[in-house]
Amino acid sequence: MRQHEYLVALKAENGLLTLDTLHWADEIRDPQKEIDNLPGKARASDKELTMAEQLIEALTMKWDPEQFHDTFQGKVAAMIEAKQAGETVEKAEVPVEPTGVVDLMEALRASVERAGSPKATGGKATTFGKAAEKRPGAKKRIRSAPKEDLSGLSKADLYKKAAAADIPGRSHMTRDDLVKALSSSRT
């Protein structure tokens, strides 16, 4: 099989020939020698056995393979049909689940900006600014236009902005990659 030799057992069962792959002798290991902390024999109480049996009975169902379908195969077949019809097939996006997670770096950055802003302190931003004014040849900091907050946009909106900015490789980027690429293209 697959250009390799395998040890197999060929059996006739219920009018069918079955082939079971076996292991070579050097592939079989003694678990007691390989794993130091194997649990010993445990004895379950009668209550535990009864509860386990009840749980198994409650979760038992009649197996009907017709109830289950290979959705992946269906999607691949639909993609092939679309390609044959001349349609463009784009990579499916994984739906983003809202997590409610706060971006700690962004919160810290906003906190530092608030602490250093003259509006928040009622005076000069920092003493560093005064020292810079006194030094000869000191360069004044030029503030760029305020950056647009991209964190609230969906991946589709980010993709549209990336397309407008002509960012290469945007079709394979995750949402976070799009935010980084758009942020770096605006600086």
Side-chain angles (χ1 to χ4, degrees), residues 63-173:
W63 168 249
D64 183 15
E66 294 295 322
Q67 290 180 333
F68 302 93
H69 303 285
D70 186 0
T71 57
F72 179 76
Q73 184 178 7
K75 290 177 184 177
V76 170
M79 191 171 20
I80 291 171
E81 289 174 8
K83 281 274 199 178
Q84 287 175 338
E87 299 174 17
T88 58
V89 179
E90 294 193 24
K91 187 175 166 183
E93 295 182 25
V94 178
V96 177
E97 295 180 19
T99 60
V101 175
V102 177
D103 183 3
L104 293 178
M105 288 303 293
E106 189 60 38
L108 178 62
R109 189 174 296 118
S111 174
V112 168
E113 286 177 7
R114 277 194 311 271
S117 100
K119 291 178 185 174
T121 60
K124 293 284 184 184
T126 61
T127 57
F128 177 78
K130 291 179 184 178
E133 290 173 8
K134 294 178 183 175
R135 285 185 295 176
K139 295 182 180 178
K140 284 196 169 187
R141 186 173 169 194
I142 300 172
R143 294 193 180 254
S144 61
K147 292 184 181 179
E148 181 182 0
D149 183 23
L150 301 173
S151 61
L153 298 178
S154 68
K155 184 176 179 184
D157 293 334
L158 291 168
Y159 183 82
K160 289 176 186 174
K161 288 188 175 292
D166 198 30
I167 294 176
R170 62 189 172 269
S171 63
H172 299 291
M173 290 183 180

